[in-house]
Amino acid sequence: NAGVTQTPKFQVLKTGQSMTLQCAQDMNHEYMSWYRQDPGMGLRLIHYSVGAGITDQGEVPNGYNVSRSTTEDFPLRLLSAAPSQTSVYFCASSYTGTGQETQYFGPGTRLLVL
Amino acid sequence: SQQGEEDPQALSIQEGENATMNCSYKTSINNLQWYRQNSGRGLVHLILIRSNEREKHSGRLRVTLDTSKKSSSLLITASRAADTASYFCATLKRIQGAQKLVFGQGTRLTINP
């Protein structure tokens, strides 16, 4: 199994541009989530999904959209990038939809917004 | 504020010594998880301890949970240079009416050779 994969690994955007961060898992996990990690702030939950077709907001959802059309994929969309969205983004998944089990993390996407 | 808060924020010890990190939380939990993050990498799960457990071991790792004090500790015995990493605890927190898994800010552990 490839586990949780994220693309791209690194991206530079200009303010106002849009882009999609890709996340995929091949473990048939129900639960998927997106976090951002900033220095001194730990990981903050952006959005999560408990199964295909179901998404919900986390702690810091503003400026981001998600969808879950398949079990495998959970893309994160930045609608109009802002410098405050410069961060490292991690996707994670777990077996069931409760979020209480072991989370498997992807390698992260480093995003720089100029 | 973070549901799980690690203490200390940074810890530097000599190789071979034991390292202890603490995590405090505010609300009742079903379980508490500890993760490790090497520099520039994603988080890796270490241990999950359930609310009805008081202690759990995995190799050189020992986790304790005190639900009366709403705290947990992670002990790494006989530390090695490869243990240098950041360590996070994770618990469920109610956000907008739903329980969501949130992480603390982490403890940055440095093992000096």
mmCIF file of all heavy atoms in Angstrom, chain A residues 15-62:
data_model
loop_
_atom_site.group_PDB
_atom_site.id
_atom_site.type_symbol
_atom_site.label_atom_id
_atom_site.label_comp_id
_atom_site.label_asym_id
_atom_site.label_seq_id
_atom_site.Cartn_x
_atom_site.Cartn_y
_atom_site.Cartn_z
ATOM 1 N N THR A 15 -0.833 35.922 -4.370
ATOM 2 C CA THR A 15 -2.080 36.284 -3.705
ATOM 3 C C THR A 15 -3.214 36.337 -4.728
ATOM 4 O O THR A 15 -3.068 36.944 -5.796
ATOM 5 C CB THR A 15 -1.937 37.641 -3.012
ATOM 6 O OG1 THR A 15 -0.948 37.525 -1.979
ATOM 7 C CG2 THR A 15 -3.243 38.076 -2.390
ATOM 8 N N GLY A 16 -4.330 35.700 -4.380
ATOM 9 C CA GLY A 16 -5.490 35.697 -5.243
ATOM 10 C C GLY A 16 -5.614 34.477 -6.143
ATOM 11 O O GLY A 16 -6.692 34.194 -6.668
ATOM 12 N N GLN A 17 -4.526 33.750 -6.320
ATOM 13 C CA GLN A 17 -4.597 32.549 -7.143
ATOM 14 C C GLN A 17 -5.338 31.448 -6.400
ATOM 15 O O GLN A 17 -5.414 31.434 -5.171
ATOM 16 C CB GLN A 17 -3.195 32.067 -7.517
ATOM 17 C CG GLN A 17 -2.493 32.934 -8.544
ATOM 18 C CD GLN A 17 -1.155 32.360 -8.973
ATOM 19 O OE1 GLN A 17 -0.373 31.896 -8.148
ATOM 20 N NE2 GLN A 17 -0.896 32.389 -10.271
ATOM 21 N N SER A 18 -5.845 30.512 -7.165
ATOM 22 C CA SER A 18 -6.509 29.353 -6.563
ATOM 23 C C SER A 18 -5.709 28.098 -6.903
ATOM 24 O O SER A 18 -4.945 28.074 -7.870
ATOM 25 C CB SER A 18 -7.934 29.214 -7.098
ATOM 26 O OG SER A 18 -7.915 28.989 -8.490
ATOM 27 N N MET A 19 -5.869 27.093 -6.068
ATOM 28 C CA MET A 19 -5.225 25.833 -6.352
ATOM 29 C C MET A 19 -5.880 24.722 -5.532
ATOM 30 O O MET A 19 -6.629 25.008 -4.583
ATOM 31 C CB MET A 19 -3.733 25.855 -6.063
ATOM 32 C CG MET A 19 -3.363 25.721 -4.604
ATOM 33 S SD MET A 19 -1.653 25.207 -4.362
ATOM 34 C CE MET A 19 -1.666 23.556 -5.052
ATOM 35 N N THR A 20 -5.587 23.493 -5.910
ATOM 36 C CA THR A 20 -6.101 22.336 -5.199
ATOM 37 C C THR A 20 -4.950 21.476 -4.715
ATOM 38 O O THR A 20 -4.074 21.116 -5.498
ATOM 39 C CB THR A 20 -7.023 21.498 -6.109
ATOM 40 O OG1 THR A 20 -8.134 22.299 -6.522
ATOM 41 C CG2 THR A 20 -7.532 20.270 -5.370
ATOM 42 N N LEU A 21 -4.961 21.182 -3.430
ATOM 43 C CA LEU A 21 -4.013 20.242 -2.847
ATOM 44 C C LEU A 21 -4.665 18.857 -2.882
ATOM 45 O O LEU A 21 -5.798 18.687 -2.429
ATOM 46 C CB LEU A 21 -3.679 20.617 -1.406
ATOM 47 C CG LEU A 21 -2.665 21.723 -1.165
ATOM 48 C CD1 LEU A 21 -3.173 23.052 -1.699
ATOM 49 C CD2 LEU A 21 -2.360 21.850 0.321
ATOM 50 N N GLN A 22 -3.917 17.906 -3.429
ATOM 51 C CA GLN A 22 -4.477 16.570 -3.589
ATOM 52 C C GLN A 22 -4.083 15.674 -2.431
ATOM 53 O O GLN A 22 -2.979 15.759 -1.898
ATOM 54 C CB GLN A 22 -4.004 15.942 -4.897
ATOM 55 C CG GLN A 22 -4.359 16.730 -6.146
ATOM 56 C CD GLN A 22 -5.849 16.732 -6.447
ATOM 57 O OE1 GLN A 22 -6.607 15.914 -5.909
ATOM 58 N NE2 GLN A 22 -6.269 17.659 -7.313
ATOM 59 N N CYS A 23 -5.003 14.816 -2.044
ATOM 60 C CA CYS A 23 -4.752 13.807 -1.019
ATOM 61 C C CYS A 23 -5.460 12.537 -1.423
ATOM 62 O O CYS A 23 -6.650 12.577 -1.794
ATOM 63 C CB CYS A 23 -5.247 14.272 0.345
ATOM 64 S SG CYS A 23 -5.120 12.994 1.620
ATOM 65 N N ALA A 24 -4.747 11.427 -1.340
ATOM 66 C CA ALA A 24 -5.343 10.138 -1.671
ATOM 67 C C ALA A 24 -4.830 9.079 -0.710
ATOM 68 O O ALA A 24 -3.700 9.150 -0.249
ATOM 69 C CB ALA A 24 -5.004 9.746 -3.109
ATOM 70 N N GLN A 25 -5.704 8.108 -0.411
ATOM 71 C CA GLN A 25 -5.290 6.978 0.430
ATOM 72 C C GLN A 25 -5.840 5.693 -0.174
ATOM 73 O O GLN A 25 -6.934 5.678 -0.754
ATOM 74 C CB GLN A 25 -5.745 7.171 1.887
ATOM 75 C CG GLN A 25 -7.207 7.490 2.097
ATOM 76 C CD GLN A 25 -8.102 6.293 2.216
ATOM 77 O OE1 GLN A 25 -7.651 5.158 2.388
ATOM 78 N NE2 GLN A 25 -9.415 6.531 2.153
ATOM 79 N N ASP A 26 -5.061 4.633 -0.016
ATOM 80 C CA ASP A 26 -5.441 3.354 -0.610
ATOM 81 C C ASP A 26 -5.710 2.299 0.449
ATOM 82 O O ASP A 26 -5.546 1.096 0.212
ATOM 83 C CB ASP A 26 -4.374 2.882 -1.599
ATOM 84 C CG ASP A 26 -3.016 2.676 -0.940
ATOM 85 O OD1 ASP A 26 -2.886 2.945 0.281
ATOM 86 O OD2 ASP A 26 -2.081 2.270 -1.641
ATOM 87 N N MET A 27 -6.120 2.740 1.631
ATOM 88 C CA MET A 27 -6.353 1.825 2.740
ATOM 89 C C MET A 27 -7.838 1.629 3.018
ATOM 90 O O MET A 27 -8.215 1.029 4.024
ATOM 91 C CB MET A 27 -5.656 2.374 3.992
ATOM 92 C CG MET A 27 -4.144 2.464 3.819
ATOM 93 S SD MET A 27 -3.304 3.263 5.210
ATOM 94 C CE MET A 27 -3.635 4.990 4.857
ATOM 95 N N ASN A 28 -8.689 2.181 2.160
ATOM 96 C CA ASN A 28 -10.138 2.087 2.320
ATOM 97 C C ASN A 28 -10.602 2.707 3.642
ATOM 98 O O ASN A 28 -11.536 2.219 4.286
ATOM 99 C CB ASN A 28 -10.615 0.634 2.233
ATOM 100 C CG ASN A 28 -12.089 0.537 1.875
ATOM 101 O OD1 ASN A 28 -12.621 1.392 1.173
ATOM 102 N ND2 ASN A 28 -12.758 -0.485 2.378
ATOM 103 N N HIS A 29 -9.937 3.791 4.026
ATOM 104 C CA HIS A 29 -10.296 4.486 5.259
ATOM 105 C C HIS A 29 -11.518 5.365 5.060
ATOM 106 O O HIS A 29 -11.654 6.042 4.034
ATOM 107 C CB HIS A 29 -9.131 5.349 5.741
ATOM 108 C CG HIS A 29 -8.037 4.563 6.377
ATOM 109 N ND1 HIS A 29 -6.839 5.130 6.765
ATOM 110 C CD2 HIS A 29 -7.949 3.256 6.726
ATOM 111 C CE1 HIS A 29 -6.086 4.208 7.322
ATOM 112 N NE2 HIS A 29 -6.739 3.058 7.307
ATOM 113 N N GLU A 30 -12.375 5.363 6.065
ATOM 114 C CA GLU A 30 -13.569 6.203 5.993
ATOM 115 C C GLU A 30 -13.264 7.663 6.326
ATOM 116 O O GLU A 30 -13.814 8.583 5.747
ATOM 117 C CB GLU A 30 -14.630 5.666 6.962
ATOM 118 C CG GLU A 30 -15.238 4.343 6.546
ATOM 119 C CD GLU A 30 -16.103 4.479 5.317
ATOM 120 O OE1 GLU A 30 -16.681 5.566 5.097
ATOM 121 O OE2 GLU A 30 -16.194 3.511 4.544
ATOM 122 N N TYR A 31 -12.424 7.857 7.314
ATOM 123 C CA TYR A 31 -12.183 9.202 7.865
ATOM 124 C C TYR A 31 -10.953 9.821 7.216
ATOM 125 O O TYR A 31 -9.889 9.221 7.177
ATOM 126 C CB TYR A 31 -11.979 9.093 9.372
ATOM 127 C CG TYR A 31 -11.859 10.407 10.103
ATOM 128 C CD1 TYR A 31 -12.978 11.060 10.612
ATOM 129 C CD2 TYR A 31 -10.610 10.984 10.337
ATOM 130 C CE1 TYR A 31 -12.866 12.254 11.308
ATOM 131 C CE2 TYR A 31 -10.492 12.175 11.026
ATOM 132 C CZ TYR A 31 -11.627 12.807 11.512
ATOM 133 O OH TYR A 31 -11.518 13.984 12.203
ATOM 134 N N MET A 32 -11.114 11.050 6.708
ATOM 135 C CA MET A 32 -9.987 11.803 6.165
ATOM 136 C C MET A 32 -10.071 13.236 6.665
ATOM 137 O O MET A 32 -11.174 13.747 6.909
ATOM 138 C CB MET A 32 -9.980 11.754 4.630
ATOM 139 C CG MET A 32 -9.788 10.356 4.072
ATOM 140 S SD MET A 32 -9.624 10.317 2.276
ATOM 141 C CE MET A 32 -7.968 10.987 2.051
ATOM 142 N N SER A 33 -8.926 13.853 6.786
ATOM 143 C CA SER A 33 -8.909 15.204 7.334
ATOM 144 C C SER A 33 -7.734 15.984 6.786
ATOM 145 O O SER A 33 -6.761 15.408 6.290
ATOM 146 C CB SER A 33 -8.843 15.150 8.869
ATOM 147 O OG SER A 33 -7.717 14.405 9.286
ATOM 148 N N TRP A 34 -7.841 17.291 6.908
ATOM 149 C CA TRP A 34 -6.769 18.205 6.524
ATOM 150 C C TRP A 34 -6.385 19.066 7.720
ATOM 151 O O TRP A 34 -7.260 19.596 8.431
ATOM 152 C CB TRP A 34 -7.223 19.142 5.404
ATOM 153 C CG TRP A 34 -7.119 18.555 4.037
ATOM 154 C CD1 TRP A 34 -8.131 18.027 3.285
ATOM 155 C CD2 TRP A 34 -5.931 18.444 3.248
ATOM 156 N NE1 TRP A 34 -7.649 17.590 2.082
ATOM 157 C CE2 TRP A 34 -6.302 17.848 2.023
ATOM 158 C CE3 TRP A 34 -4.597 18.804 3.439
ATOM 159 C CZ2 TRP A 34 -5.390 17.590 1.010
ATOM 160 C CZ3 TRP A 34 -3.690 18.555 2.434
ATOM 161 C CH2 TRP A 34 -4.088 17.955 1.227
ATOM 162 N N TYR A 35 -5.070 19.189 7.935
ATOM 163 C CA TYR A 35 -4.523 20.052 8.977
ATOM 164 C C TYR A 35 -3.536 21.015 8.331
ATOM 165 O O TYR A 35 -2.918 20.724 7.321
ATOM 166 C CB TYR A 35 -3.762 19.234 10.034
ATOM 167 C CG TYR A 35 -4.624 18.341 10.886
ATOM 168 C CD1 TYR A 35 -4.942 17.048 10.475
ATOM 169 C CD2 TYR A 35 -5.101 18.763 12.115
ATOM 170 C CE1 TYR A 35 -5.720 16.216 11.264
ATOM 171 C CE2 TYR A 35 -5.876 17.936 12.915
ATOM 172 C CZ TYR A 35 -6.178 16.669 12.466
ATOM 173 O OH TYR A 35 -6.942 15.843 13.252
ATOM 174 N N ARG A 36 -3.371 22.144 8.972
ATOM 175 C CA ARG A 36 -2.264 23.019 8.638
ATOM 176 C C ARG A 36 -1.377 23.154 9.858
ATOM 177 O O ARG A 36 -1.860 23.123 11.008
ATOM 178 C CB ARG A 36 -2.755 24.387 8.148
ATOM 179 C CG ARG A 36 -3.582 25.183 9.115
ATOM 180 C CD ARG A 36 -3.925 26.566 8.542
ATOM 181 N NE ARG A 36 -2.758 27.440 8.517
ATOM 182 C CZ ARG A 36 -2.735 28.650 7.960
ATOM 183 N NH1 ARG A 36 -3.831 29.143 7.385
ATOM 184 N NH2 ARG A 36 -1.646 29.383 7.960
ATOM 185 N N GLN A 37 -0.087 23.261 9.591
ATOM 186 C CA GLN A 37 0.880 23.363 10.682
ATOM 187 C C GLN A 37 1.702 24.624 10.504
ATOM 188 O O GLN A 37 2.373 24.806 9.485
ATOM 189 C CB GLN A 37 1.797 22.146 10.729
ATOM 190 C CG GLN A 37 2.750 22.149 11.913
ATOM 191 C CD GLN A 37 3.580 20.884 12.009
ATOM 192 O OE1 GLN A 37 3.936 20.281 11.007
ATOM 193 N NE2 GLN A 37 3.872 20.452 13.232
ATOM 194 N N ASP A 38 1.643 25.477 11.495
ATOM 195 C CA ASP A 38 2.399 26.723 11.498
ATOM 196 C C ASP A 38 3.317 26.738 12.710
ATOM 197 O O ASP A 38 2.978 26.160 13.751
ATOM 198 C CB ASP A 38 1.447 27.913 11.549
ATOM 199 C CG ASP A 38 0.448 27.898 10.404
ATOM 200 O OD1 ASP A 38 0.904 28.093 9.273
ATOM 201 O OD2 ASP A 38 -0.753 27.664 10.653
ATOM 202 N N PRO A 39 4.465 27.405 12.610
ATOM 203 C CA PRO A 39 5.406 27.432 13.731
ATOM 204 C C PRO A 39 4.735 27.917 15.017
ATOM 205 O O PRO A 39 4.074 28.956 15.027
ATOM 206 C CB PRO A 39 6.476 28.425 13.244
ATOM 207 C CG PRO A 39 6.405 28.355 11.762
ATOM 208 C CD PRO A 39 4.952 28.140 11.437
ATOM 209 N N GLY A 40 4.898 27.158 16.081
ATOM 210 C CA GLY A 40 4.352 27.545 17.368
ATOM 211 C C GLY A 40 2.857 27.373 17.514
ATOM 212 O O GLY A 40 2.298 27.712 18.555
ATOM 213 N N MET A 41 2.210 26.840 16.470
ATOM 214 C CA MET A 41 0.740 26.714 16.520
ATOM 215 C C MET A 41 0.294 25.266 16.507
ATOM 216 O O MET A 41 -0.898 24.994 16.586
ATOM 217 C CB MET A 41 0.119 27.445 15.325
ATOM 218 C CG MET A 41 0.376 28.932 15.291
ATOM 219 S SD MET A 41 -0.460 29.787 16.626
ATOM 220 C CE MET A 41 -2.163 29.631 16.117
ATOM 221 N N GLY A 42 1.214 24.341 16.392
ATOM 222 C CA GLY A 42 0.801 22.949 16.323
ATOM 223 C C GLY A 42 0.041 22.677 15.038
ATOM 224 O O GLY A 42 0.198 23.369 14.042
ATOM 225 N N LEU A 43 -0.800 21.657 15.060
ATOM 226 C CA LEU A 43 -1.631 21.316 13.913
ATOM 227 C C LEU A 43 -3.050 21.795 14.176
ATOM 228 O O LEU A 43 -3.607 21.536 15.252
ATOM 229 C CB LEU A 43 -1.650 19.805 13.675
ATOM 230 C CG LEU A 43 -0.429 19.228 12.996
ATOM 231 C CD1 LEU A 43 0.653 18.939 14.016
ATOM 232 C CD2 LEU A 43 -0.785 17.970 12.233
ATOM 233 N N ARG A 44 -3.613 22.434 13.212
ATOM 234 C CA ARG A 44 -4.988 22.898 13.335
ATOM 235 C C ARG A 44 -5.853 22.253 12.262
ATOM 236 O O ARG A 44 -5.494 22.243 11.081
ATOM 237 C CB ARG A 44 -5.057 24.421 13.247
ATOM 238 C CG ARG A 44 -4.435 25.123 14.446
ATOM 239 C CD ARG A 44 -4.577 26.625 14.342
ATOM 240 N NE ARG A 44 -3.745 27.182 13.280
ATOM 241 C CZ ARG A 44 -3.810 28.437 12.867
ATOM 242 N NH1 ARG A 44 -4.694 29.274 13.413
ATOM 243 N NH2 ARG A 44 -3.009 28.866 11.907
ATOM 244 N N LEU A 45 -6.986 21.756 12.674
ATOM 245 C CA LEU A 45 -7.881 21.024 11.788
ATOM 246 C C LEU A 45 -8.641 21.992 10.879
ATOM 247 O O LEU A 45 -9.288 22.919 11.368
ATOM 248 C CB LEU A 45 -8.863 20.197 12.623
ATOM 249 C CG LEU A 45 -9.876 19.345 11.885
ATOM 250 C CD1 LEU A 45 -9.177 18.249 11.094
ATOM 251 C CD2 LEU A 45 -10.858 18.740 12.872
ATOM 252 N N ILE A 46 -8.570 21.755 9.574
ATOM 253 C CA ILE A 46 -9.232 22.636 8.616
ATOM 254 C C ILE A 46 -10.625 22.095 8.262
ATOM 255 O O ILE A 46 -11.638 22.736 8.482
ATOM 256 C CB ILE A 46 -8.388 22.782 7.332
ATOM 257 C CG1 ILE A 46 -6.987 23.277 7.662
ATOM 258 C CG2 ILE A 46 -9.073 23.761 6.360
ATOM 259 C CD1 ILE A 46 -6.039 23.261 6.464
ATOM 260 N N HIS A 47 -10.645 20.920 7.671
ATOM 261 C CA HIS A 47 -11.880 20.224 7.316
ATOM 262 C C HIS A 47 -11.661 18.735 7.520
ATOM 263 O O HIS A 47 -10.527 18.258 7.527
ATOM 264 C CB HIS A 47 -12.264 20.465 5.845
ATOM 265 C CG HIS A 47 -12.819 21.805 5.550
ATOM 266 N ND1 HIS A 47 -14.099 22.187 5.877
ATOM 267 C CD2 HIS A 47 -12.260 22.865 4.911
ATOM 268 C CE1 HIS A 47 -14.313 23.430 5.458
ATOM 269 N NE2 HIS A 47 -13.218 23.868 4.874
ATOM 270 N N TYR A 48 -12.756 18.015 7.641
ATOM 271 C CA TYR A 48 -12.653 16.573 7.734
ATOM 272 C C TYR A 48 -13.859 15.924 7.074
ATOM 273 O O TYR A 48 -14.858 16.593 6.771
ATOM 274 C CB TYR A 48 -12.511 16.116 9.189
ATOM 275 C CG TYR A 48 -13.753 16.298 10.027
ATOM 276 C CD1 TYR A 48 -14.606 15.231 10.278
ATOM 277 C CD2 TYR A 48 -14.063 17.542 10.577
ATOM 278 C CE1 TYR A 48 -15.746 15.395 11.049
ATOM 279 C CE2 TYR A 48 -15.194 17.717 11.341
ATOM 280 C CZ TYR A 48 -16.032 16.640 11.584
ATOM 281 O OH TYR A 48 -17.161 16.808 12.340
ATOM 282 N N SER A 49 -13.738 14.620 6.859
ATOM 283 C CA SER A 49 -14.814 13.868 6.203
ATOM 284 C C SER A 49 -14.932 12.503 6.866
ATOM 285 O O SER A 49 -13.930 11.820 7.082
ATOM 286 C CB SER A 49 -14.507 13.696 4.716
ATOM 287 O OG SER A 49 -15.385 12.760 4.131
ATOM 288 N N VAL A 50 -16.150 12.118 7.190
ATOM 289 C CA VAL A 50 -16.368 10.815 7.834
ATOM 290 C C VAL A 50 -16.769 9.747 6.824
ATOM 291 O O VAL A 50 -17.040 8.611 7.204
ATOM 292 C CB VAL A 50 -17.417 10.911 8.959
ATOM 293 C CG1 VAL A 50 -16.937 11.875 10.040
ATOM 294 C CG2 VAL A 50 -18.760 11.352 8.416
ATOM 295 N N GLY A 51 -16.806 10.108 5.558
ATOM 296 C CA GLY A 51 -17.124 9.147 4.518
ATOM 297 C C GLY A 51 -17.424 9.865 3.219
ATOM 298 O O GLY A 51 -17.589 11.098 3.200
ATOM 299 N N ALA A 52 -17.491 9.114 2.138
ATOM 300 C CA ALA A 52 -17.771 9.714 0.832
ATOM 301 C C ALA A 52 -19.073 10.496 0.880
ATOM 302 O O ALA A 52 -20.090 10.009 1.377
ATOM 303 C CB ALA A 52 -17.834 8.632 -0.239
ATOM 304 N N GLY A 53 -19.016 11.718 0.378
ATOM 305 C CA GLY A 53 -20.181 12.580 0.328
ATOM 306 C C GLY A 53 -20.463 13.374 1.583
ATOM 307 O O GLY A 53 -21.406 14.170 1.628
ATOM 308 N N ILE A 54 -19.626 13.186 2.621
ATOM 309 C CA ILE A 54 -19.860 13.858 3.912
ATOM 310 C C ILE A 54 -18.613 14.627 4.315
ATOM 311 O O ILE A 54 -17.536 14.047 4.449
ATOM 312 C CB ILE A 54 -20.202 12.843 5.016
ATOM 313 C CG1 ILE A 54 -21.373 11.955 4.595
ATOM 314 C CG2 ILE A 54 -20.509 13.576 6.314
ATOM 315 C CD1 ILE A 54 -21.594 10.791 5.541
ATOM 316 N N THR A 55 -18.752 15.927 4.493
ATOM 317 C CA THR A 55 -17.643 16.745 4.966
ATOM 318 C C THR A 55 -18.136 17.686 6.050
ATOM 319 O O THR A 55 -19.340 17.963 6.142
ATOM 320 C CB THR A 55 -17.009 17.564 3.828
ATOM 321 O OG1 THR A 55 -17.980 18.498 3.329
ATOM 322 C CG2 THR A 55 -16.527 16.679 2.700
ATOM 323 N N ASP A 56 -17.209 18.174 6.845
ATOM 324 C CA ASP A 56 -17.564 19.106 7.910
ATOM 325 C C ASP A 56 -16.366 19.989 8.217
ATOM 326 O O ASP A 56 -15.233 19.673 7.855
ATOM 327 C CB ASP A 56 -18.005 18.368 9.164
ATOM 328 C CG ASP A 56 -18.882 19.227 10.066
ATOM 329 O OD1 ASP A 56 -19.031 20.443 9.784
ATOM 330 O OD2 ASP A 56 -19.400 18.701 11.066
ATOM 331 N N GLN A 57 -16.651 21.099 8.885
ATOM 332 C CA GLN A 57 -15.608 22.066 9.177
ATOM 333 C C GLN A 57 -14.836 21.705 10.430
ATOM 334 O O GLN A 57 -15.372 21.119 11.371
ATOM 335 C CB GLN A 57 -16.231 23.450 9.351
ATOM 336 C CG GLN A 57 -16.899 23.987 8.092
ATOM 337 C CD GLN A 57 -17.490 25.362 8.304
ATOM 338 O OE1 GLN A 57 -17.629 25.820 9.428
ATOM 339 N NE2 GLN A 57 -17.826 26.040 7.227
ATOM 340 N N GLY A 58 -13.573 22.104 10.435
ATOM 341 C CA GLY A 58 -12.743 21.950 11.614
ATOM 342 C C GLY A 58 -12.598 23.261 12.349
ATOM 343 O O GLY A 58 -13.534 24.057 12.429
ATOM 344 N N GLU A 59 -11.396 23.502 12.873
ATOM 345 C CA GLU A 59 -11.136 24.711 13.653
ATOM 346 C C GLU A 59 -10.930 25.955 12.798
ATOM 347 O O GLU A 59 -11.320 27.056 13.188
ATOM 348 C CB GLU A 59 -9.879 24.517 14.507
ATOM 349 C CG GLU A 59 -9.928 23.353 15.483
ATOM 350 C CD GLU A 59 -8.572 23.146 16.122
ATOM 351 O OE1 GLU A 59 -7.718 22.492 15.488
ATOM 352 O OE2 GLU A 59 -8.364 23.631 17.245
ATOM 353 N N VAL A 60 -10.314 25.790 11.634
ATOM 354 C CA VAL A 60 -9.944 26.939 10.802
ATOM 355 C C VAL A 60 -10.365 26.721 9.348
ATOM 356 O O VAL A 60 -9.532 26.614 8.454
ATOM 357 C CB VAL A 60 -8.427 27.214 10.908
ATOM 358 C CG1 VAL A 60 -8.081 27.802 12.260
ATOM 359 C CG2 VAL A 60 -7.615 25.957 10.640
ATOM 360 N N PRO A 61 -11.658 26.688 9.044
ATOM 361 C CA PRO A 61 -12.116 26.343 7.702
ATOM 362 C C PRO A 61 -12.148 27.480 6.686
ATOM 363 O O PRO A 61 -12.220 27.235 5.477
ATOM 364 C CB PRO A 61 -13.541 25.849 7.966
ATOM 365 C CG PRO A 61 -13.988 26.674 9.136
ATOM 366 C CD PRO A 61 -12.764 26.846 9.992
ATOM 367 N N ASN A 62 -12.075 28.725 7.170
ATOM 368 C CA ASN A 62 -12.276 29.855 6.256
ATOM 369 C C ASN A 62 -11.184 29.921 5.198
ATOM 370 O O ASN A 62 -9.997 29.853 5.489
ATOM 371 C CB ASN A 62 -12.323 31.159 7.056
ATOM 372 C CG ASN A 62 -13.547 31.246 7.936
ATOM 373 O OD1 ASN A 62 -14.528 30.549 7.715
ATOM 374 N ND2 ASN A 62 -13.483 32.083 8.958
#
